[in-house]
Amino acid sequence: MRTEDRHTRKLRKARRRSEGLAGAASIFLTSGRNYTSTILSLLRSVTESQRKKLLTGLFIGGLYLAGQAAALFIIYWYAQLLQTNTPVTFPLIAYESLPRQDVRLLALVTVSAALLFSGSVLFLFLSRAITLAVTRAWLAVRLDAIARISTRLPDSRAAGASRLVAESGLSSVANGCKRSTIAVIGLLNSFVPIVGALGAAWLLIWIDPFLTAILLGGIAVWSLLLYPLTLRAVRFTRMREKAQAAFKDEARNLSPDPALQPYELMQSAVDIAAAYMGRRRVTSEIMLVTQVGVAGILAVAIFYVTTGMMRDDADWAIFIAYIGALRITLSGCSNGIQAYARVSRYYLEISRYQEFTQDVKGMDEREFGSVAPGDMLEIGKDGEGRARLLPAGVRVAVMGLEKPQDGPVVLVDARLLGSRMPLKSAIADIGWEDDEPRLVVDDPQTSLVIVSTRPVVTDDDGNGKKLRDHTALDCKSMTTFFVYRDIPETDDLPEDYLLVIDDLDIVALEQSGTKGWRPAIKKARRLVQKNKASGRSRRRAGDHDDDEDE
């Protein structure tokens, strides 16, 4: 029986180990698909509007490849002549030459190859200039679009984009757009070398299929070694963002008295340093793997070809052609792989930008839901993922917001219970009607109204004064959220519900007269006092730096 138990335990451990490996492999593949999907989406976004210009640039890049190929062909042709010492005749100028004895032929070949090499570089320059012009125009259009659409946020029809701008700031989206441009430039510039690599690979296969199959297999394995490094770069980027947020919190909590400050280094400072240097180390590791892979594959090719030449008659022309084509293939593969891997440096910023653009796409085509008396509203979820519900038409006290303008951000996920249609929220104006203050809501689609507890009421003459008693407002049976800038001393509030917010997240929602009402008010007081003491403000874009030098 004991043997069976031991055997069962071994089987269970083996099963858990295999499940762990399968789970890791699944995560690995999913990350790879997401990463590749992001790159393809970026390329589609840039190329769909500038296809003709980019094709022109690619054609000019093809002229660069043609010049390089012509130069290599001249060198190959001259090597063959040297090997056979066959007389060369130039009918147009009535000139005949013996390759091994004619220095003028050597000079002609050298100058021709040099001109072709240098002239082809000019075509490469022009091709990349077109790429820069296209991406510059794309960047300008996208930045302009980001700025224009941000003026309409927060909007519950674009909840994700609204939260992103509120929490990280518009500059984080703009930085993601700029990072996208940098990544696209690298990817587009790698197209010409990749095309050259494919052409050179066909030549390699024609010269020696067996050796070429081995080398291409080596290139594939070498490429796979770079993939984990790109994922490490993404992890370091995530680590840096978390560490920067923690650093701000730790710095605020430090005592101004040096004697009361901790002796140890702040952990967040250690984590920031590790993340920054880790990203740069990954860059060096990618370069190391690339260079070692190129050197190893070249060494294998030279050894194989040279040993073949030692057994048979030496064919130096074939040797030069094979090594030259292999160098072009390796260079093209290296360019493509590095461009693919380089996106990992900016992956989080690019993902943030793409999340924004996808969320605002088609925003005007989505419709708002309408609220009727008796409906139940789901205004959002708290930190534990629990849905928070309200009956329509109630008055809600809101505590923890810096200003009423933040209210629509908190309510971007508001929906009718059981519906996916978003609800429109707006900050209401206050006007007079029959000498009574009333909410003024211009858009009839508005379902949720946000107003300060000390609103300014403007009369017909344009004069404004603060309304001391907000309970006198006629809310017209609308669901109204009254934002308390200061927490009242009394626990007895005139509203039907209390909504407590911390850093734009829902902390508590309690109905007046219930057991949780007073604890919720106490929690709101503690949060406000803590935030005031630490000088804490809501999340902004200061956590996003701009590492253009990477």
Side-chain angles (χ1 to χ4, degrees):
M1 191 65 165
R2 192 174 300 169
T3 303
E4 289 180 358
D5 291 342
R6 190 184 300 118
H7 181 66
T8 302
R9 283 196 298 271
K10 287 183 178 180
L11 286 176
R12 192 180 299 114
K13 287 181 180 179
R15 190 180 300 113
R16 280 201 299 265
R17 199 158 38 241
S18 64
E19 289 174 354
L21 291 173
S26 176
I27 294 172
F28 189 80
L29 292 174
T30 301
S31 300
R33 281 195 300 269
N34 293 339
Y35 186 86
T36 305
S37 175
T38 298
I39 291 175
L40 293 177
S41 176
L42 259 184
L43 289 173
R44 279 195 300 270
S45 175
V46 176
T47 58
E48 63 186 1
S49 59
Q50 301 282 348
R51 195 165 297 160
K52 289 184 179 179
K53 287 185 178 180
L54 289 172
L55 287 175
T56 302
L58 190 60
F59 173 76
I60 294 174
L63 296 179
Y64 157 76
L65 294 175
Q68 296 275 307
L72 290 174
F73 177 77
I74 288 175
I75 295 172
Y76 168 76
W77 170 77
Y78 184 66
Q80 276 193 323
L81 293 178
L82 287 177
Q83 187 172 355
T84 59
N85 200 28
T86 304
V88 182
T89 303
F90 298 94
L92 293 177
I93 57 176
Y95 180 77
E96 186 173 325
S97 169
L98 284 174
R100 293 182 184 177
Q101 300 172 7
D102 194 343
V103 178
R104 286 175 294 182
L105 180 60
L106 172 61
L108 178 63
V109 169
T110 303
V111 171
S112 299
L115 288 175
L116 285 169
F117 277 129
S118 57
S120 64
V121 172
L122 177 61
F123 288 120
L124 181 63
F125 171 80
L126 293 174
S127 175
R128 295 192 171 184
I130 291 174
T131 299
L132 286 174
V134 168
T135 51
R136 182 183 62 205
W138 180 84
L139 176 61
V141 169
R142 291 304 173 124
L143 288 176
D144 180 80
I146 290 171
R148 291 175 188 272
I149 199 68
S150 67
T151 61
R152 301 172 55 193
L153 300 179
D155 191 311
S156 56
R157 294 172 298 177
S162 300
R163 281 194 300 271
L164 182 58
V165 172
E167 295 175 0
S168 302
L170 183 63
S171 63
S172 69
V173 181
N175 280 342
C177 186
K178 290 185 286 184
R179 299 288 199 232
S180 299
T181 308
I182 295 172
V184 166
I185 289 172
L187 291 166
L188 292 177
N189 284 341
S190 69
F191 280 9
V192 171
I194 289 173
V195 172
L198 293 174
W202 281 111
L203 179 60
L204 293 176
I205 293 172
W206 177 73
I207 294 174
D208 193 325
F210 176 74
L211 174 61
T212 303
I214 294 175
L215 296 182
L216 292 178
I219 292 174
V221 173
W222 156 56
S223 303
L224 290 175
L225 292 177
L226 290 174
Y227 178 64
L229 295 178
T230 64
L231 296 184
R232 281 189 63 208
V234 173
R235 285 197 295 271
F236 278 125
T237 303
R238 288 198 179 100
M239 176 180 172
R240 186 199 66 178
E241 290 201 345
K242 291 180 181 178
Q244 284 181 159
F247 180 79
K248 290 180 69 175
D249 288 339
E250 285 194 65
R252 291 192 191 101
N253 293 329
L254 285 175
S255 171
D257 185 354
L260 299 178
Q261 294 178 0
Y263 177 76
E264 301 83 3
L265 287 173
M266 290 192 300
Q267 184 59 44
S268 58
V270 176
D271 292 340
I272 287 177
Y276 267 93
M277 296 305 107
R279 284 173 57 173
R280 284 151 179 80
R281 177 172 178 172
V282 169
T283 302
S284 300
E285 289 172 349
I286 290 175
M287 187 181 300
L288 173 66
V289 172
T290 301
Q291 297 299 327
V292 170
V294 169
I297 291 171
L298 273 174
V300 170
I302 291 172
F303 178 81
Y304 181 88
V305 174
T306 305
T307 51
M309 293 171 62
M310 291 171 62
R311 289 193 300 269
D312 306 318
D313 292 334
D315 191 342
W316 289 104
I318 291 294
F319 176 79
I320 291 172
Y322 195 90
I323 298 303
L326 180 61
R327 189 71 183 91
I328 292 174
T329 301
L330 293 176
S331 177
C333 291
S334 175
N335 269 277
I337 293 169
Q338 287 189 17
Y340 178 85
R342 201 176 293 123
V343 178
S344 64
R345 287 197 250 171
Y346 316 125
Y347 182 70
L348 288 186
E349 291 96 328
I350 292 171
S351 299
R352 188 178 291 118
Y353 162 71
Q354 289 197 323
E355 176 189 343
F356 178 89
T357 54
Q358 288 298 318
D359 203 44
V360 299
K361 188 176 181 181
M363 184 175 71
D364 293 331
E365 299 171 5
R366 302 167 196 155
E367 296 182 355
F368 288 111
S370 58
V371 177
D375 286 340
M376 286 298 293
L377 313 180
E378 181 182 331
I379 62 169
K381 291 182 171 58
D382 59 18
E384 298 178 0
R386 293 176 299 183
R388 293 300 190 171
L389 306 179
L390 277 177
V394 297
R395 299 162 71 104
V396 184
V398 182
M399 298 182 184
L401 282 183
E402 292 183 11
K403 50 186 180 295
Q405 286 76 10
D406 292 338
V409 180
V410 176
L411 300 174
V412 290
D413 291 318
R415 302 285 188 274
L416 278 173
L417 185 62
S419 171
R420 294 186 177 181
M421 295 184 71
L423 298 179
K424 181 175 178 58
S425 61
I427 300 171
D429 295 324
I430 310 297
W432 294 98
E433 186 177 328
D434 298 330
D435 295 328
E436 294 291 333
R438 294 175 181 266
L439 293 176
V440 178
V441 181
D442 297 327
D443 193 339
Q445 297 186 87
T446 302
S447 303
L448 309 175
V449 177
I450 300 149
V451 64
S452 171
T453 54
R454 298 293 298 276
V456 175
V457 185
T458 304
D459 59 22
D460 294 336
D461 297 327
N463 301 316
K465 64 178 181 179
K466 285 190 175 181
L467 185 68
R468 293 187 176 277
D469 185 10
H470 69 277
T471 59
L473 277 175
D474 182 1
C475 296
K476 301 179 180 180
S477 300
M478 300 187 71
T479 308
T480 309
F481 296 80
F482 291 94
V483 178
Y484 283 76
R485 298 290 299 274
D486 299 312
I487 306 299
E489 296 181 0
T490 178
D491 291 349
D492 297 322
L493 303 179
E495 284 77 29
D496 307 306
Y497 282 81
L498 170 63
L499 177 64
V500 182
I501 305 297
D502 182 33
D503 206 13
L504 302 181
D505 294 325
I506 296 175
V507 175
L509 177 65
E510 298 294 341
Q511 186 176 5
S512 177
T514 61
K515 189 181 297 184
W517 176 266
R518 295 186 189 280
I521 292 182
K522 291 180 181 178
K523 182 181 290 186
R525 289 196 182 106
R526 287 197 301 270
L527 285 173
V528 171
Q529 290 171 359
K530 177 184 175 183
N531 293 343
K532 284 183 178 180
S534 63
R536 181 181 177 186
S537 180
R538 70 186 177 95
R539 293 168 286 193
R540 295 304 303 166
D543 293 339
H544 303 282
D545 59 345
D546 200 17
D547 291 338
E548 294 291 353
D549 61 330
E550 286 194 52

